[in-house]
Amino acid sequence: QVQPVESGGGLVQAGNSLRLSCASSGHTVTSYHVGWFRQSPGKKRDFVAAITWNGDASTYADSVTGRFTISRDNAKNTVYLQMNSLKPEDTAVYYCAAASVWLPRVPESYAYWGQGTQVSVSS
């Protein structure tokens, strides 16, 4: 069973960068599509970015397009989310999820979820 594990969160100032990583402590994520979602207190979980299992396609939320980049290294069993030009409104818990079907913006299509990593951006 795939068990995504996120890492790389932290506290940064606005304008700086962070790179999140998503690996799997169980079965590899190499054959799964992977998405990143985020959730702030009192808000619903929002789609951020997703990438196909082989990396040939990706998609982003409008709010992060041009600032965030999703990539994967299947040899390392890891998916990355490079976040540049961070803004205070990017503050949230970021979740990595794995799916067998490509419905990237639909949370219900993801069968496996990590526990999340906190990203905090100060102004």
Side-chain angles (χ1 to χ4, degrees):
Q1 181 173 341
V2 176
Q3 182 53 60
V5 179
E6 305 93 341
S7 61
L11 172 64
V12 296
Q13 288 189 325
N16 284 353
S17 301
L18 278 176
R19 188 177 77 162
L20 305 184
S21 298
C22 174
S24 175
S25 63
H27 195 271
T28 70
V29 295
T30 56
S31 58
Y32 291 86
H33 310 307
V34 174
W36 287 95
F37 291 77
R38 65 187 183 187
Q39 188 169 21
S40 303
K43 296 185 177 181
K44 66 178 181 65
R45 192 169 295 187
D46 289 331
F47 169 75
V48 176
I51 190 167
T52 52
W53 72 272
N54 61 357
D56 66 350
S58 59
T59 185
Y60 298 88
D62 290 345
S63 59
V64 305
T65 296
R67 299 188 298 123
F68 290 12
T69 302
I70 189 170
S71 62
R72 68 189 304 157
D73 185 342
N74 282 347
K76 295 183 178 180
N77 187 33
T78 303
V79 176
Y80 303 99
L81 184 67
Q82 178 67 44
M83 306 186 296
N84 298 330
S85 302
L86 282 162
K87 304 175 181 180
E89 51 263 44
D90 294 319
T91 295
V93 176
Y94 283 70
Y95 297 90
C96 170
S100 298
V101 294
W102 181 243
L103 293 170
R105 299 170 187 262
V106 180
E108 293 78 10
S109 70
Y110 293 84
Y112 307 103
W113 289 82
Q115 294 299 308
T117 185
Q118 176 70 47
V119 172
S120 300
V121 184
S122 63
S123 57

